[in-house]
Amino acid sequence: MNPVASHRGDQLAIGALLENGPPSPADVDRFLSKHTIPIVEGTHCTFLYRGEADAVRLRHFIFGLPSTQPFHRIPHTDLWYQIIEIPTNSRVEYKLEVIAGGEGHWIEDPLNPLRARDPFGANSVCHGTGYEVPEWTIPDPDARSGTLEEIRIRSGAFHRDCGVTMYLPARFRKTRRYPLLVVHDGNDYLEYSGLKTVLDNLIHRLEVADLIVALTTPRERLLEYADHEAHARFICEELVPRLESRYPLIGKPRARGLMGASFGGVASLSTAVRYPDMYGRLLLQSGSFAFTDIGPHPRGPVFDPVVQFMNNYREDPTRIADKVFVSCGTYESLIYENRSIVPILQSTGMDVKYVEARDGHNWENWRDRLREGLSWLFPGPLWMIYE
Amino acid sequence: MTRVVLLGPQRLQPTMRDVVRSLRPRGRIAVITAGWQEYETEIEELDQHMGGRAVNLELYRRADRVFRQDPELAIAHRERQGRLRQIRRLYNLRLRHAIRAAQELVRREDESVLVAEEGDAAVRAVRLIDEEHLVRVSEIHAAFEAQWLPRERDAVRRERRLVEELLSGVSAFAVAGGHVAILLNRLRLFDFPEMIRNRPVIAWSAGAMVLGERVVLFHDKPPQGAGNAEALENGLAVYRDVLPFPHARRRLMLDDPIRVRCMARRFAPLLCVPLNEGDRIDLTHGSLESPAGVMSLSEAGNIEPAGAA
């Protein structure tokens, strides 16, 4: 891409730097200190790297663009850049691949302090024009804090004790009755999506009802979450009944929900399919809803049970809840699968809300959709309460 | 009418202590926290601000007891609430389209006299929908009162007598916020306006809302839906002239002149008054004798001192 100007003819910052020939090290110092890296100008995003290397590449997680984008070295300097177009409101996670001495290393962008953590480490983050971290994801000192407590459930389905983290809303009272939300990958949601802060804030703002949330964690995730009979039995015949005897829960389908992302979305959907009268609310984020219309699938053997489950469900979809919230990032490889499941869910008479965002398959995308999903599935008394 | 002091929300920035000091009540202060529902009895902090003079009337708990002792009334009450919910859904359906039209036309009313006239008509249409809804709701309440005579029923009279005993040394009332419909129902069941007898009333949040002439629910930026303010029902009319909007900074888009303008015109002649933390409005004899210093939503689309236009 032309480094000097955007499509509209505006000069980009990197173009201005190069205008008078190769910049001196002092010019580069000044340039880097003056700008937030990557430099976002309209829909143009300039990624930068400074250092000696044989090559530098942008490794982003945008499905639809080549995943590797080579940087250009500015002659006579150690400054590298790459410009890509990012639509407004995008949020992009990425790494840099720095190749030196024949070896490549994936690193977080040393010039960009923004990070998103996940179970595999962390990525650098680029906020496109218009994207803002939702303020309800940031701890609010005015919000009363819910509590977390650890419990253990003896599981006959898994032949082991399963640890579950329970979220109890602020001002929890045993004399009240609460809805229950069971969250797959619950600890990852806490850790990487800030779920406790989100719940505290949304409940404080009355946008979401006071909820009890059971945060479950799998032992063998790819097995247990791929339409696994024992997993569904654990959730529906062991966990939920135990919770309903231990906590003041409403105990009706309209007040029970399942939630999960990626394989956790499959686990939520397949559990509800196996126990169709139990849950009234589903929150499915970037579900790994792989399927085939004909022939084998390309996603590897771990997806075999998922594809079989999805093919069966797509063939004969059944009503399994009253309301289903589905979200997916448009930069995910799963966007096609998620878009195409929506009319199938709707065809059963379920009330389905589908939301997309310009983001990838990551925990902050899932975090950013929680307000819309939770407030739709478990609306709070916002209109009636004025404290 | 009685003296009423409306306050901004008290939880994070309590101003109650100063207000109590300025009113100098000789006796105790009857506190109504029915809007807090299960948390009704947790008034320790409030009591501190009142110098340890609070008497909790516990109207939420009393109403629960009434409904347990008088199942016939409880069933009738539940049915009435169901009917009100149904009517509210239908009202919102009409309102949705009418408000969208009004906002669109008011946004464009500088274009021509013709558009301005249509804007006026569209706002009038919203007012008409509000009025028709309020009439229907009033009819439902009147039919309920006529059929079930709630205040004549033994369980209610018993609780009312107990309340009356608590009120003997009381020289002021404080009505807190919380669930606005539950609070309004409890105050109505125990006939709060009759209870007051010229003693001053301090009220905030939902408490301020239910004591006015009209109860309006509002939130311009809800996570779901268009955020159309709606008239819930007529209030207890303990005071007049003012329509309070607690937490206005958080709940209203006060920087959107179209929304502000529509709101002011829709509810006129009531003065739409934001009640934020630290705010105080004194209604001597239950009405706004002088609007001086009171900020309100104006028909010009901003927040300005009342009467400035």
Side-chain angles (χ1 to χ4, degrees), chain B residues 208-221:
Chain B
M209 294 164 73
V210 299
L211 300 186
E213 292 170 85
R214 185 176 284 195
V215 181
V216 171
L217 309 180
F218 63 99
H219 199 300
D220 281 351
K221 295 173 286 184

Side-chain angles (χ1 to χ4, degrees), chain A residues 69-84:
Chain A
Q69 306 267 346
F71 276 50
H72 312 287
R73 183 174 193 157
I74 298 173
H76 314 295
T77 74
D78 57 357
L79 188 64
W80 303 70
Y81 73 91
Q82 167 61 277
I83 303 169
I84 64 170

